[in-house]
Amino acid sequence: MSESRVLVIDDDDDIRNLVRTLLERTGSTVHDAANGKEGLREFHSWRPDLVILDVNMPEMDGWNVLERIRDMSKVPVLMLTARGDELERVRGLQSGADDYVVKPFGKQELVARIQALLRRAARGASGEAEAETYADSFVSVDWGQARVTVGEREVQLTPLEFRLLSTFVRHPRQVLSRDQLLELVWGDAFGVGGDQVKLYVGYLRRKLDPKEPDSVPIETVRGFGYRYKTP
């Protein structure tokens, strides 16, 4: 986490100051912005390694800021919100956020989640060049273009769903436990329940084949985890 560049976008002065203090202690460089428009300007000019983004802000809320960021970058985004219901979390992750933390948050948990996102981003930058593309008789994945096709149909996946599919096709025929998937896809098992894996495997199956999701070659191995059965 040392020397990482983190942008904090939140209209609460106390939250921005707290996050800045926590991250600067770890060696990160922190810039902050008090609203969405200012945050986007800072994002354009500074190009951070990670963004911490508040959902509820005046004028331009976090959802709009996230959409603008995702139009031009895959930088990890951690959402902050005062609401902890499941629908709110799902909306954030489905919109392209990489993680979601509910206020008031534990200081150690926040730092741990940020570290996990930065580790995962570093692994992706160094390791995903091993293969540019993957294809079998069911699915094709182009990592350079972040593009997935099933037959002639292009499939639109969120960043988290794309990482989940990538993990499966990179470990064909191997049973992956929930803990392994949490580490490989989410970056860390800290603070993330195993039910998230089941939820997102379901999302992924429905995206890959909306009509017959059970035909997708991602097999549930009861008591163990999941396996991608190469067609």
PDB file of all heavy atoms in Angstrom, residues 86-104:
ATOM      1  N   GLU A  86     -29.263  -4.790   1.504  1.00  0.00           N
ATOM      2  CA  GLU A  86     -28.672  -5.603   0.443  1.00  0.00           C
ATOM      3  C   GLU A  86     -28.869  -4.970  -0.939  1.00  0.00           C
ATOM      4  O   GLU A  86     -27.959  -5.008  -1.774  1.00  0.00           O
ATOM      5  CB  GLU A  86     -29.279  -7.009   0.452  1.00  0.00           C
ATOM      6  CG  GLU A  86     -28.665  -7.937  -0.592  1.00  0.00           C
ATOM      7  CD  GLU A  86     -29.252  -9.328  -0.557  1.00  0.00           C
ATOM      8  OE1 GLU A  86     -30.109  -9.596   0.307  1.00  0.00           O
ATOM      9  OE2 GLU A  86     -28.871 -10.147  -1.406  1.00  0.00           O
ATOM     10  N   LEU A  87     -30.039  -4.396  -1.197  1.00  0.00           N
ATOM     11  CA  LEU A  87     -30.302  -3.808  -2.508  1.00  0.00           C
ATOM     12  C   LEU A  87     -29.324  -2.683  -2.823  1.00  0.00           C
ATOM     13  O   LEU A  87     -28.881  -2.519  -3.955  1.00  0.00           O
ATOM     14  CB  LEU A  87     -31.743  -3.291  -2.584  1.00  0.00           C
ATOM     15  CG  LEU A  87     -32.836  -4.358  -2.659  1.00  0.00           C
ATOM     16  CD1 LEU A  87     -34.215  -3.707  -2.668  1.00  0.00           C
ATOM     17  CD2 LEU A  87     -32.658  -5.231  -3.893  1.00  0.00           C
ATOM     18  N   GLU A  88     -28.992  -1.892  -1.798  1.00  0.00           N
ATOM     19  CA  GLU A  88     -28.041  -0.811  -1.993  1.00  0.00           C
ATOM     20  C   GLU A  88     -26.654  -1.365  -2.324  1.00  0.00           C
ATOM     21  O   GLU A  88     -25.963  -0.870  -3.205  1.00  0.00           O
ATOM     22  CB  GLU A  88     -27.975   0.051  -0.731  1.00  0.00           C
ATOM     23  CG  GLU A  88     -27.089   1.273  -0.843  1.00  0.00           C
ATOM     24  CD  GLU A  88     -27.786   2.469  -1.441  1.00  0.00           C
ATOM     25  OE1 GLU A  88     -28.901   2.318  -1.972  1.00  0.00           O
ATOM     26  OE2 GLU A  88     -27.194   3.563  -1.389  1.00  0.00           O
ATOM     27  N   ARG A  89     -26.246  -2.422  -1.622  1.00  0.00           N
ATOM     28  CA  ARG A  89     -24.943  -3.027  -1.890  1.00  0.00           C
ATOM     29  C   ARG A  89     -24.903  -3.618  -3.297  1.00  0.00           C
ATOM     30  O   ARG A  89     -23.925  -3.459  -4.027  1.00  0.00           O
ATOM     31  CB  ARG A  89     -24.628  -4.117  -0.858  1.00  0.00           C
ATOM     32  CG  ARG A  89     -24.370  -3.593   0.541  1.00  0.00           C
ATOM     33  CD  ARG A  89     -23.689  -4.643   1.395  1.00  0.00           C
ATOM     34  NE  ARG A  89     -24.497  -5.847   1.523  1.00  0.00           N
ATOM     35  CZ  ARG A  89     -25.410  -6.037   2.471  1.00  0.00           C
ATOM     36  NH1 ARG A  89     -25.650  -5.083   3.335  1.00  0.00           N
ATOM     37  NH2 ARG A  89     -26.084  -7.164   2.537  1.00  0.00           N
ATOM     38  N   VAL A  90     -25.976  -4.320  -3.646  1.00  0.00           N
ATOM     39  CA  VAL A  90     -26.020  -4.934  -4.973  1.00  0.00           C
ATOM     40  C   VAL A  90     -25.974  -3.861  -6.059  1.00  0.00           C
ATOM     41  O   VAL A  90     -25.278  -4.016  -7.064  1.00  0.00           O
ATOM     42  CB  VAL A  90     -27.294  -5.801  -5.125  1.00  0.00           C
ATOM     43  CG1 VAL A  90     -27.500  -6.213  -6.575  1.00  0.00           C
ATOM     44  CG2 VAL A  90     -27.185  -7.035  -4.242  1.00  0.00           C
ATOM     45  N   ARG A  91     -26.695  -2.758  -5.852  1.00  0.00           N
ATOM     46  CA  ARG A  91     -26.667  -1.682  -6.850  1.00  0.00           C
ATOM     47  C   ARG A  91     -25.250  -1.169  -7.049  1.00  0.00           C
ATOM     48  O   ARG A  91     -24.804  -0.946  -8.174  1.00  0.00           O
ATOM     49  CB  ARG A  91     -27.575  -0.530  -6.419  1.00  0.00           C
ATOM     50  CG  ARG A  91     -27.588   0.624  -7.420  1.00  0.00           C
ATOM     51  CD  ARG A  91     -28.413   1.798  -6.959  1.00  0.00           C
ATOM     52  NE  ARG A  91     -28.354   2.874  -7.935  1.00  0.00           N
ATOM     53  CZ  ARG A  91     -28.904   4.070  -7.763  1.00  0.00           C
ATOM     54  NH1 ARG A  91     -29.581   4.335  -6.655  1.00  0.00           N
ATOM     55  NH2 ARG A  91     -28.794   5.001  -8.694  1.00  0.00           N
ATOM     56  N   GLY A  92     -24.523  -0.969  -5.939  1.00  0.00           N
ATOM     57  CA  GLY A  92     -23.155  -0.479  -6.053  1.00  0.00           C
ATOM     58  C   GLY A  92     -22.258  -1.436  -6.809  1.00  0.00           C
ATOM     59  O   GLY A  92     -21.529  -1.042  -7.716  1.00  0.00           O
ATOM     60  N   LEU A  93     -22.322  -2.717  -6.466  1.00  0.00           N
ATOM     61  CA  LEU A  93     -21.449  -3.692  -7.110  1.00  0.00           C
ATOM     62  C   LEU A  93     -21.840  -3.917  -8.560  1.00  0.00           C
ATOM     63  O   LEU A  93     -20.983  -4.056  -9.429  1.00  0.00           O
ATOM     64  CB  LEU A  93     -21.491  -5.009  -6.324  1.00  0.00           C
ATOM     65  CG  LEU A  93     -20.931  -4.919  -4.895  1.00  0.00           C
ATOM     66  CD1 LEU A  93     -21.226  -6.193  -4.120  1.00  0.00           C
ATOM     67  CD2 LEU A  93     -19.436  -4.650  -4.905  1.00  0.00           C
ATOM     68  N   GLN A  94     -23.148  -3.920  -8.835  1.00  0.00           N
ATOM     69  CA  GLN A  94     -23.594  -4.094 -10.208  1.00  0.00           C
ATOM     70  C   GLN A  94     -23.266  -2.878 -11.076  1.00  0.00           C
ATOM     71  O   GLN A  94     -23.145  -2.988 -12.293  1.00  0.00           O
ATOM     72  CB  GLN A  94     -25.113  -4.353 -10.249  1.00  0.00           C
ATOM     73  CG  GLN A  94     -25.524  -5.707  -9.693  1.00  0.00           C
ATOM     74  CD  GLN A  94     -25.237  -6.833 -10.667  1.00  0.00           C
ATOM     75  OE1 GLN A  94     -24.086  -7.125 -10.959  1.00  0.00           O
ATOM     76  NE2 GLN A  94     -26.269  -7.446 -11.163  1.00  0.00           N
ATOM     77  N   SER A  95     -23.128  -1.713 -10.464  1.00  0.00           N
ATOM     78  CA  SER A  95     -22.805  -0.502 -11.216  1.00  0.00           C
ATOM     79  C   SER A  95     -21.316  -0.374 -11.524  1.00  0.00           C
ATOM     80  O   SER A  95     -20.907   0.542 -12.219  1.00  0.00           O
ATOM     81  CB  SER A  95     -23.272   0.740 -10.432  1.00  0.00           C
ATOM     82  OG  SER A  95     -24.670   0.732 -10.258  1.00  0.00           O
ATOM     83  N   GLY A  96     -20.522  -1.287 -10.981  1.00  0.00           N
ATOM     84  CA  GLY A  96     -19.100  -1.267 -11.293  1.00  0.00           C
ATOM     85  C   GLY A  96     -18.192  -0.955 -10.125  1.00  0.00           C
ATOM     86  O   GLY A  96     -16.980  -0.856 -10.283  1.00  0.00           O
ATOM     87  N   ALA A  97     -18.777  -0.795  -8.919  1.00  0.00           N
ATOM     88  CA  ALA A  97     -17.932  -0.600  -7.735  1.00  0.00           C
ATOM     89  C   ALA A  97     -17.224  -1.917  -7.404  1.00  0.00           C
ATOM     90  O   ALA A  97     -17.719  -3.000  -7.714  1.00  0.00           O
ATOM     91  CB  ALA A  97     -18.769  -0.149  -6.551  1.00  0.00           C
ATOM     92  N   ASP A  98     -16.063  -1.817  -6.771  1.00  0.00           N
ATOM     93  CA  ASP A  98     -15.297  -3.007  -6.426  1.00  0.00           C
ATOM     94  C   ASP A  98     -15.548  -3.463  -5.001  1.00  0.00           C
ATOM     95  O   ASP A  98     -15.332  -4.626  -4.675  1.00  0.00           O
ATOM     96  CB  ASP A  98     -13.803  -2.733  -6.624  1.00  0.00           C
ATOM     97  CG  ASP A  98     -13.465  -2.495  -8.082  1.00  0.00           C
ATOM     98  OD1 ASP A  98     -13.574  -1.351  -8.551  1.00  0.00           O
ATOM     99  OD2 ASP A  98     -13.121  -3.466  -8.773  1.00  0.00           O
ATOM    100  N   ASP A  99     -15.979  -2.547  -4.160  1.00  0.00           N
ATOM    101  CA  ASP A  99     -16.296  -2.914  -2.780  1.00  0.00           C
ATOM    102  C   ASP A  99     -17.227  -1.847  -2.213  1.00  0.00           C
ATOM    103  O   ASP A  99     -17.424  -0.782  -2.818  1.00  0.00           O
ATOM    104  CB  ASP A  99     -15.025  -3.034  -1.934  1.00  0.00           C
ATOM    105  CG  ASP A  99     -15.213  -3.930  -0.709  1.00  0.00           C
ATOM    106  OD1 ASP A  99     -16.363  -4.338  -0.434  1.00  0.00           O
ATOM    107  OD2 ASP A  99     -14.213  -4.222  -0.025  1.00  0.00           O
ATOM    108  N   TYR A 100     -17.767  -2.132  -1.025  1.00  0.00           N
ATOM    109  CA  TYR A 100     -18.850  -1.338  -0.468  1.00  0.00           C
ATOM    110  C   TYR A 100     -18.715  -1.350   1.046  1.00  0.00           C
ATOM    111  O   TYR A 100     -18.685  -2.422   1.653  1.00  0.00           O
ATOM    112  CB  TYR A 100     -20.166  -1.995  -0.902  1.00  0.00           C
ATOM    113  CG  TYR A 100     -21.391  -1.147  -0.793  1.00  0.00           C
ATOM    114  CD1 TYR A 100     -21.831  -0.426  -1.882  1.00  0.00           C
ATOM    115  CD2 TYR A 100     -22.131  -1.105   0.379  1.00  0.00           C
ATOM    116  CE1 TYR A 100     -22.982   0.342  -1.806  1.00  0.00           C
ATOM    117  CE2 TYR A 100     -23.277  -0.349   0.468  1.00  0.00           C
ATOM    118  CZ  TYR A 100     -23.700   0.373  -0.626  1.00  0.00           C
ATOM    119  OH  TYR A 100     -24.830   1.126  -0.556  1.00  0.00           O
ATOM    120  N   VAL A 101     -18.616  -0.186   1.680  1.00  0.00           N
ATOM    121  CA  VAL A 101     -18.459  -0.095   3.132  1.00  0.00           C
ATOM    122  C   VAL A 101     -19.549   0.812   3.691  1.00  0.00           C
ATOM    123  O   VAL A 101     -19.811   1.890   3.153  1.00  0.00           O
ATOM    124  CB  VAL A 101     -17.066   0.454   3.514  1.00  0.00           C
ATOM    125  CG1 VAL A 101     -16.979   0.706   5.013  1.00  0.00           C
ATOM    126  CG2 VAL A 101     -15.980  -0.527   3.092  1.00  0.00           C
ATOM    127  N   VAL A 102     -20.186   0.359   4.774  1.00  0.00           N
ATOM    128  CA  VAL A 102     -21.292   1.097   5.381  1.00  0.00           C
ATOM    129  C   VAL A 102     -20.773   1.967   6.522  1.00  0.00           C
ATOM    130  O   VAL A 102     -19.973   1.522   7.348  1.00  0.00           O
ATOM    131  CB  VAL A 102     -22.368   0.120   5.898  1.00  0.00           C
ATOM    132  CG1 VAL A 102     -23.499   0.883   6.580  1.00  0.00           C
ATOM    133  CG2 VAL A 102     -22.905  -0.730   4.764  1.00  0.00           C
ATOM    134  N   LYS A 103     -21.210   3.226   6.562  1.00  0.00           N
ATOM    135  CA  LYS A 103     -20.889   4.123   7.672  1.00  0.00           C
ATOM    136  C   LYS A 103     -21.845   3.842   8.835  1.00  0.00           C
ATOM    137  O   LYS A 103     -23.018   3.550   8.610  1.00  0.00           O
ATOM    138  CB  LYS A 103     -21.066   5.580   7.253  1.00  0.00           C
ATOM    139  CG  LYS A 103     -20.229   6.042   6.080  1.00  0.00           C
ATOM    140  CD  LYS A 103     -20.605   7.482   5.733  1.00  0.00           C
ATOM    141  CE  LYS A 103     -19.880   8.000   4.516  1.00  0.00           C
ATOM    142  NZ  LYS A 103     -20.303   9.366   4.152  1.00  0.00           N
ATOM    143  N   PRO A 104     -21.381   3.940  10.081  1.00  0.00           N
ATOM    144  CA  PRO A 104     -19.988   4.185  10.485  1.00  0.00           C
ATOM    145  C   PRO A 104     -19.178   2.905  10.322  1.00  0.00           C
ATOM    146  O   PRO A 104     -19.668   1.813  10.591  1.00  0.00           O
ATOM    147  CB  PRO A 104     -20.114   4.565  11.963  1.00  0.00           C
ATOM    148  CG  PRO A 104     -21.364   3.871  12.419  1.00  0.00           C
ATOM    149  CD  PRO A 104     -22.298   3.846  11.236  1.00  0.00           C
TER     150      PRO A 104
END
